[in-house]
């Protein structure tokens, strides 16, 4: 798998020539086989035999694209069926299987679920992020998934965006450093990174979402889209300095693939943006890998399907994610080449890039994974790494009266809030399925479980509603956002819910000191809760290993996390540019984070 690291030489001025074996294979391919390589359906829409018949280049699992009985072994068998089909095609060109493994191999039941990227941004630890990338790759390879649609290199400017938690933070330098580290870890372990969403998605403006053909999709999925897929309206120097810069760092580390963004820049959709896809990314920056679309991304270019296909491929897209109707895509490209609307040289360029990436990954070899690797998914070493990430990501926003860490004198703890014992809220979106869900979704340790195990010498009373009849020295309330992903999380009010505030008020009346733990994919408005709490911890979306929070709450490890965003005081402080232009002061600034000493 070390061969993948050599691909970094293809990105840049010193690009090597395409491997001779790729050119030889390309010369043997028919037009139909070339178009097949440019086609990527979702696994629920394509039988394995069609992979062989149409020489399809890739298959993906969308969020929730799991086997009927979800476990690592069945994942391995599911993906192997598509891989075997690829080898059965006329030329035996391998399939590259892809998935959104955005915080671990998060679609697989039993996999390690790491903190979402916003939490990793709070760690400021590039070495940790690189190790997480490598661990994620190992769990992916165990199930024959060699392509990760990650990392997200967005620089979120407006927390109303439902994808804020997918970015490492609001500072370009931070995103550049950690994004590059993740690419190093992922590809160093043998999995292709897909840096996304190229480019500028984090700068989209509120209420600029526009869709040509997805109206019913939005209605069926909550209809919340207001900023996701929106328009970025800044000048080119700003666009490059803020949003393009993280891609330069990731490309320098040899990122193999790039995913086009749903968003637009000054009114032109990225999936049809020839200047940014071809002139900038491929020509100016020397990107030698291939560009893939996002889910039905080309559909937004025009009401006419043929126009969508022609415009996107001519703009520079190499592989098209057509989750449901791959045959109509194949037919449209075939027609476009026949009519001269897409030049054969453009098809050859796309296929050459795809084959080169596959060769660099070693996919033309067989039996890349081994049966014993399946048992390593969710293993103790990876869970220990996730626990480390959780404790390093927690940010201590406030700590009056030395409330934290929990002292030896504390005999009884009142623990409240549904989130304290809810794995789904702890993990957030992109966990087993696209939107995530509440409840005991994946194996792991909730905060309640972790505190009970760690503080066995203390009496811990738990009530989700905060209804207690006793007085205690310490109360801990855990609140947070309901799981969401993408545009379903676009909201115009980030104020802590009235129900959460009521729980805080109930527990406040029953304890001497109160600590508040917040699970969220972005900073929330907590002004009403602030005077009621002696300590406040931003825990983000920590994933499956709640023991990491118990580590810092108990004092086994110090708090070291720093805010990856300003923590705003009110909704009129969004977006970031408006806040700075008006001179508005956040509740807690970027980089804020109190420390505690280990006891």
């Amino acid at each position: 798998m070390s061969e993948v690291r050599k691909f970094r030489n293809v990105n840049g001025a010193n690009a090597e020539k395409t491997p001779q074996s790729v050119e030889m294979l390309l010369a043997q391919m028919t037009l139909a086989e070339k178009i097949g390589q440019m086609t990527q359906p979702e696994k629920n829409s394509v039988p394995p035999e069609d992979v062989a018949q149409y020489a399809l280049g890739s298959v993906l699992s969308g969020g929730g694209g799991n086997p009927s009985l979800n476990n690592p072994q069945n994942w391995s068998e599911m993906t192997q069926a598509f891989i075997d089909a690829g080898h059965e095609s006329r030329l035996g060109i391998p399939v590259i299987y892809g998935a959104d493994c955005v915080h671990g191999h998060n679609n697989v039941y039993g996999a390690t679920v790491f903190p979402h990227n916003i939490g990793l941004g709070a760690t400021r630890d590039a070495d940790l992020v690189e190790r997480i990338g490598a661990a994620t790759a190992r769990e992916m390879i165990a199930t024959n998934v060699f392509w990760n649609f990650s990392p997200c290199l967005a620089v979120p400017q407006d927390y109303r965006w439902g994808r804020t938690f997918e970015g490492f933070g609001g500072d370009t330098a931070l995103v550049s450093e950690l994004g590059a580290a993740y690419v190093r870890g992922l590809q160093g372990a043998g999995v292709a990174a897909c840096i996304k969403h190229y480019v500028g998605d984090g700068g989209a403006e509120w209420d600029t979402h526009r869709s040509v053909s997805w109206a019913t999709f939005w209605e069926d999925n909550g209809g919340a889209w207001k900023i996701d897929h929106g328009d970025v309206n800044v000048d080119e120097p700003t666009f490059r300095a803020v949003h393009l810069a993280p891609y330069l760092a990731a490309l320098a580390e040899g990122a193999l693939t790039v995913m086009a963004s749903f968003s637009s820049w000054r009114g032109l959709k990225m999936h049809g943006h020839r200047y940014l896809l071809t002139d900038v990314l491929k020509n100016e920056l020397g990107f030698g890998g291939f560009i893939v679309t996002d889910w039905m991304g080309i559909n937004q270019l025009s009401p006419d399907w043929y126009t969508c296909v022609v415009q996107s491929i001519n703009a520079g897209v190499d592989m098209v994610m057509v989750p449901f109707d791959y045959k109509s895509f194949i037919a449209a490209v075939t027609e476009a080449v026949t009519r001269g609307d897409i030049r054969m040289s453009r098809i050859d360029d796309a296929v050459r890039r795809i084959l080169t990436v596959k060769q660099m990954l070693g996919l033309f070899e067989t039996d890349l994974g081994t049966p014993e690797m399946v048992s390593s998914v969710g293993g103790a070493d990876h869970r220990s790494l996730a626990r480390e990430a959780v404790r390093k990501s927690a940010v201590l926003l406030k700590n009056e009266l030395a409330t934290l860490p929990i002292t030896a004198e504390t005999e009884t703890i009142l623990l409240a809030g549904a989130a304290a014992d809810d794995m789904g809220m702890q993990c957030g979106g992109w966990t087993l399925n696209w939107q995530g869900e509440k409840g005991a979704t994946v194996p792991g340790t909730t905060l309640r479980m972790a505190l009970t195990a760690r503080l066995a010498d203390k009496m811990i009373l738990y009530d989700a509603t905060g209804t207690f009849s006793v007085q205690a020295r310490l109360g801990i309330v855990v609140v947070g956002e309901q799981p969401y992903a993408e545009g379903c999380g676009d909201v115009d009010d980030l104020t802590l819910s009235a129900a959460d505030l009521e729980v805080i008020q109930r527990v406040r009346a029953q304890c001497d000191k109160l600590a508040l733990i917040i699970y969220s994919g972005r900073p929330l408005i907590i002004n009403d809760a602030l005077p009621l709490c002696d300590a406040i911890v931003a825990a983000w979306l920590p994933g499956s290993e709640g023991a990491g929070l118990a580590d810092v709450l108990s004092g086994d490890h110090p708090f070291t996390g720093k805010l990856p965003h300003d923590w705003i005081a009110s909704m009129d402080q969004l977006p970031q540019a408006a806040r700075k232009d008006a001179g508005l002061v956040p509740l807690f600034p970027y980089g804020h984070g109190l420390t505690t000493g280990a006891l």
Side-chain angles (χ1 to χ4, degrees):
M1 286 305 165
S2 61
E3 286 296 313
V4 72
R5 296 304 301 276
K6 295 180 180 179
F7 195 76
R8 80 163 53 187
N9 295 326
V10 178
N11 294 337
N14 297 321
E16 297 176 352
K17 293 182 179 180
T18 305
Q20 185 66 26
S21 57
V22 168
E23 292 299 333
M24 292 174 62
L25 184 58
L26 189 64
Q28 300 176 58
M29 296 175 71
T30 65
L31 175 61
E33 288 168 332
K34 292 175 182 179
I35 295 172
Q37 285 300 299
M38 299 171 66
T39 309
Q40 183 189 54
E42 208 273 340
K43 70 97 179 173
N44 286 323
S45 301
V46 59
E49 54 266 28
D50 275 12
V51 171
Q53 179 179 346
Y54 295 98
L56 300 181
S58 178
V59 177
L60 82 146
S61 280
N66 310 320
S68 56
L69 179 59
N70 189 349
N71 60 45
Q73 181 63 44
N74 286 343
W75 258 85
S76 178
E77 293 173 2
M78 176 187 76
T79 55
Q80 190 65 51
F82 291 107
I83 292 168
D84 289 345
H87 290 303
E88 292 169 4
S89 63
R90 184 180 75 91
L91 294 174
I93 301 174
V95 164
I96 180 170
Y97 201 101
D100 289 276
C101 309
V102 299
H103 61 145
H105 200 0
N106 41 258
N107 282 307
V108 178
Y109 184 84
T112 309
V113 182
F114 293 95
H116 270 296
N117 283 349
I118 191 171
L120 299 185
T123 71
R124 300 294 201 279
D125 191 334
D127 174 71
L128 172 67
V129 172
E130 183 173 347
R131 286 184 283 136
I132 288 172
T136 299
R138 287 191 291 270
E139 297 202 4
M140 291 172 62
I141 291 171
T143 61
N144 303 309
V145 179
F146 285 85
W147 188 11
N148 187 357
F149 305 135
S150 185
C152 177
L153 301 183
V155 186
Q157 305 294 294
D158 191 330
Y159 315 149
R160 291 175 291 184
W161 187 33
R163 301 192 89 140
T164 298
F165 65 76
E166 293 189 42
F168 292 106
D171 177 73
T172 299
L174 176 66
V175 175
S176 298
E177 180 185 16
L178 298 188
Y182 190 84
V183 170
R184 283 198 303 274
L186 198 68
Q187 296 195 169
V191 164
C194 186
I195 51 179
K196 67 181 190 183
H197 307 88
Y198 183 87
V199 55
D201 51 339
E205 297 180 354
W206 182 257
D207 206 20
T208 61
H209 164 78
R210 300 291 181 267
S211 175
V212 174
S213 60
W214 283 36
T216 57
F217 181 86
W218 307 140
E219 293 170 3
D220 293 342
N221 289 279
W225 272 257
K226 287 290 186 180
I227 189 169
D228 197 34
H229 302 206
D231 188 41
V232 184
N233 188 23
V234 296
D235 60 35
E236 184 162 353
T238 302
F239 188 82
R240 283 175 174 261
V242 175
H243 301 290
L244 182 62
Y247 289 87
L248 307 185
L251 291 174
E253 292 296 336
L256 290 164
T257 69
V258 172
M259 180 179 287
S261 177
F262 283 123
S263 59
S264 306
W265 179 40
R266 297 192 291 195
L268 180 57
K269 282 286 184 182
M270 208 57 59
H271 279 77
H273 210 302
R274 179 176 173 81
Y275 172 67
L276 288 172
L277 295 179
T278 296
D279 295 347
V280 173
L281 180 59
K282 291 182 175 180
N283 295 338
E284 178 185 332
L285 301 181
F287 174 56
F290 70 84
I291 300 171
V292 65
T293 73
D294 209 330
W295 183 277
M296 294 171 60
I298 69 172
N299 296 51
Q300 298 188 20
L301 298 178
S302 170
D304 178 66
W305 173 239
Y306 183 82
T307 300
C308 292
V309 172
V310 172
Q311 184 178 344
S312 61
I313 293 175
N314 285 337
V317 164
D318 302 304
M319 182 181 285
V320 178
M321 193 183 291
V322 276
F324 307 122
D325 196 0
Y326 53 96
K327 294 180 183 178
S328 69
F329 170 74
I330 291 171
V333 180
T334 304
E335 179 184 356
V337 174
T338 302
R339 293 170 54 177
D341 291 332
I342 298 175
R343 298 177 64 177
M344 196 65 205
S345 59
R346 174 76 272 271
I347 298 295
D348 285 346
D349 174 60
V351 177
R352 181 179 292 111
R353 289 168 177 273
I354 293 166
L355 295 179
T356 299
V357 168
K358 290 181 176 183
Q359 185 183 72
M360 289 296 177
L361 282 171
L363 297 184
F364 285 90
E365 304 167 14
T366 58
D367 300 323
L368 294 177
T370 57
E372 60 268 22
M373 290 181 69
V374 174
S375 63
S376 69
V377 175
D381 54 343
H382 291 173
R383 292 189 181 275
S384 177
L385 176 61
R387 181 173 178 171
E388 176 188 351
V390 172
R391 64 175 176 255
K392 288 183 175 180
S393 67
V395 179
L396 185 58
L397 299 176
K398 177 181 178 180
N399 193 30
E400 296 181 352
L401 304 176
T403 299
L404 295 176
I406 299 167
T407 63
E409 292 75 22
T410 302
E411 298 177 352
T412 301
I413 298 173
L414 307 180
L415 179 63
D421 202 31
D422 192 302
M423 182 60 71
M425 291 184 68
Q426 192 170 295
C427 292
W430 289 111
T431 307
L432 286 194
N433 58 56
W434 178 35
Q435 293 294 315
E437 59 185 286
K438 295 178 64 177
T441 53
V442 298
T445 306
T446 66
L447 181 56
R448 180 190 180 189
M449 295 163 60
L451 287 175
T452 300
R454 171 61 185 81
L455 304 175
D457 60 327
K458 304 185 187 303
M459 179 180 293
I460 299 178
L461 304 176
Y462 175 68
D463 184 87
T465 66
T467 304
F468 298 104
S469 60
V470 299
Q471 196 76 19
R473 182 186 295 270
L474 177 65
I476 299 175
V477 177
V478 188
V479 301
E481 294 186 289
Q482 305 302 307
Y484 60 84
E486 298 190 48
C488 290
D490 289 357
V491 294
D492 61 1
D493 187 359
L494 297 173
T495 304
L496 200 64
S497 73
D500 282 343
L501 187 60
E502 288 176 4
V503 175
I504 294 169
Q505 292 168 334
R506 290 191 197 104
V507 180
R508 173 76 276 180
Q510 300 299 128
C511 62
D512 299 336
K513 298 179 182 179
L514 179 63
L516 176 65
I517 314 296
I518 304 171
Y519 291 159
S520 68
R522 50 201 163 188
L524 303 179
I525 307 299
I526 59 172
N527 294 9
D528 291 339
L530 186 65
L532 300 174
C533 304
D534 301 295
I536 301 177
V537 177
W540 313 111
L541 298 169
S544 60
E545 306 311 304
L549 279 176
D551 289 340
V552 289
L553 294 175
S554 66
D556 288 345
H557 292 268
F559 279 93
T560 58
K562 305 296 180 184
L563 283 179
H565 295 277
D566 285 347
W567 193 286
I568 57 174
S570 60
M571 292 303 297
D572 64 2
Q573 294 191 352
L574 292 175
Q576 179 170 294
R579 178 168 70 256
K580 292 184 175 180
D581 290 345
L584 299 177
V585 178
L587 187 62
F588 301 105
Y590 172 88
H592 173 79
L594 304 176
T595 59
T596 56
L599 296 179

